[in-house]
Amino acid sequence: MNRPSAARCPRAALLLRALPGLLLVACAAGAGAGGQPGTPPAAGATRQARLHAARSWGYQLTNYIPARLGPVGASSFDLVVVDAGDDNGAPWPPAEVHAAAARTGQNDRVMLGYLSIGAAESYRPYWQDTWKTSPPAWLLQEDPDWPGSFNVAYWHPDWQATVLRSLDRLMDSGFDGVYMDLVDAYYRNPQHPAAREDMITWVCRIAAHAHARDPDFLIVPQNASELIRDPRYVPCVDALGNEETFMYAMNTPTEPERQTQLLADYAQWKARGKPVFTIEYADREPLITQLYARARAAGLVPYVTVRNVDVLTPGR
C-alpha cells in the first residue's frame, strides 16, 4: 500500500550471479546468521539474528505528533516499521531511532524505515512544485485511490537516483534496514515488457547500494511474494512483509485462491531462511484474535491494524 496523505552470510561465496551492472553473492538457504527460527538471540545479537527471532511486529506510517517515536519505545514489539521521516518529512535523528529501539534487559528491537520504491509521493522532500506542469520523464499517472501518490517508471535512472538519496538519509538516521513498498509496481506497468525483471534489478541495486555502506543493513520488501521464486532475487532480500493474506481492508475476507497462492509463496520464503511478516486490516473482535491465531498457525509473524496505518495498534 502507499502511505496515506549480522553478517549476511559467510564471505566465501556459494553462488555468483550477474545482473546488469551488479555482482550478487547468494547465501545458502537457511537461517544463517540468525540461527534457527525460534532460537532467542544472544546478547549483542546481529541484526539478522534479531530479525529471525522476531515474533511480533508493528507498523505506523503517520500521525507521530505529539509522541513521535515514544509509543514504539514503549511497545513490546520485536520489530517496528516507521516512516523514514516525521510528520513534517524531516529525517528522524539517530538518537530518537536508537532510543525507540532500546529495550531494557533485551536485545534492541529491529527498526525498519519505510521507503516507497515504486511510486513518487507529493509530500516527500524530493518533490518539486514544477513537476505539476513540467513532470520529469519518469513521473506517470496519479493513483486515484491514494491522492498524492504517482506511478513511476522505476527503471529510469533519475528516479532511481532520487530513491537512493532517500535511502542514504534513511541510513543516516540509524535504522537497521529499509522496508520497501510498491515492489509489486510491475503490475501497474503492463506497457513495459521488462517491468518484472526491472523490478528485480532495482531491488538488487538498492541492496548493493546499502551494503556498500553497511554490509549488515536489512532489505525487506513489501508484497510481490512470488518474486522469491526467481533466483536473482533471493540473495537481495532478508525477509518479506505482505499485506492482506486473509483479510482485505477493512474486515473483508480474501478469496481462498489468494490465500492458497500466498501461503505457497511464503513456504518458499521460509524454505530459504527468510521470515514472513504479514499485515491484515481489521478492527473488529473476535476477527482480530482469529487473524493472529490463523497467521501464527501458518508459521507467520502477524500484525493486524487499520488501513491508514496511522496508529501503532496493540499486538497479540
Side-chain angles (χ1 to χ4, degrees):
M1 69 179 293
N2 299 319
R3 166 181 166 167
S5 286
R8 302 180 56 76
C9 65
R11 291 298 173 239
L14 299 176
L15 172 68
L16 295 180
R17 183 176 299 274
L19 282 176
L22 296 174
L23 184 64
L24 305 177
V25 181
C27 305
Q36 293 299 317
T39 303
T46 64
R47 292 172 187 156
Q48 280 281 343
R50 291 185 285 128
L51 176 71
H52 280 265
R55 292 296 171 265
S56 64
W57 77 298
Y59 189 1
Q60 182 182 358
L61 296 185
T62 61
N63 197 31
Y64 299 115
I65 295 172
R68 294 180 67 81
L69 297 183
V72 175
S75 76
S76 62
F77 293 120
D78 298 325
L79 181 152
V80 176
V81 175
V82 297
D83 197 78
D86 63 19
D87 287 331
N88 295 316
W92 296 108
E96 280 196 70
V97 174
H98 295 156
R103 299 195 289 183
T104 303
Q106 302 180 70
N107 282 291
D108 288 353
R109 68 174 49 83
V110 177
M111 293 291 293
L112 301 181
Y114 173 95
L115 184 65
S116 177
I117 70 168
E121 297 153 325
S122 61
Y123 42 83
R124 296 298 182 183
Y126 57 70
W127 187 266
Q128 300 179 28
D129 288 339
T130 57
W131 291 353
K132 295 177 181 177
T133 56
S134 182
W138 49 262
L139 187 64
L140 306 177
Q141 72 277 8
E142 187 172 13
D143 186 338
D145 295 327
W146 294 101
S149 178
F150 293 78
N151 190 27
V152 296
Y154 51 80
W155 52 90
H156 195 286
D158 290 348
W159 167 248
Q160 295 192 358
T162 298
V163 172
L164 293 178
R165 287 192 292 270
S166 297
L167 176 63
D168 283 332
R169 288 191 291 271
L170 186 155
M171 296 183 74
D172 291 342
S173 290
F175 284 99
D176 295 302
V178 61
Y179 188 85
M180 304 180 303
D181 200 5
L182 273 295
V183 177
D184 54 357
Y186 50 91
Y187 287 117
R188 298 181 172 195
N189 292 278
Q191 80 287 355
H192 185 62
R196 184 180 184 276
E197 290 71 21
D198 283 348
M199 179 56 77
I200 292 172
T201 301
W202 177 211
V203 168
C204 291
R205 183 183 180 195
I206 290 169
H209 180 92
H211 295 153
R213 286 188 55 178
D214 181 352
D216 299 329
F217 195 73
L218 300 171
I219 307 296
V220 182
Q222 178 167 276
N223 300 331
S225 60
E226 69 273 10
L227 293 185
I228 198 64
R229 299 175 188 276
D230 192 309
R232 297 171 298 161
Y233 192 68
V234 175
C236 301
V237 294
D238 296 293
L240 172 69
N242 215 91
E243 297 177 290
E244 300 175 322
T245 304
F246 303 116
M247 196 66 49
Y248 291 123
M250 290 278 295
N251 307 302
T252 303
T254 59
E255 303 85 359
E257 296 79 10
R258 173 180 175 84
Q259 297 173 18
T260 298
Q261 182 58 61
L262 286 175
L263 291 171
D265 290 345
Y266 300 161
Q268 295 294 317
W269 284 82
K270 293 191 293 178
R272 289 162 175 79
K274 301 176 190 294
V276 178
F277 299 85
T278 56
I279 314 102
E280 310 290 352
Y281 299 107
D283 60 359
R284 299 174 186 168
E285 287 290 4
L287 183 58
I288 295 173
T289 298
Q290 293 168 354
L291 288 169
Y292 274 105
R294 189 172 182 186
R296 288 206 170 96
L300 310 172
V301 184
Y303 182 57
V304 182
T305 189
V306 295
R307 184 174 188 258
N308 283 343
V309 286
D310 56 353
V311 62
L312 197 63
T313 56
R316 299 288 175 88

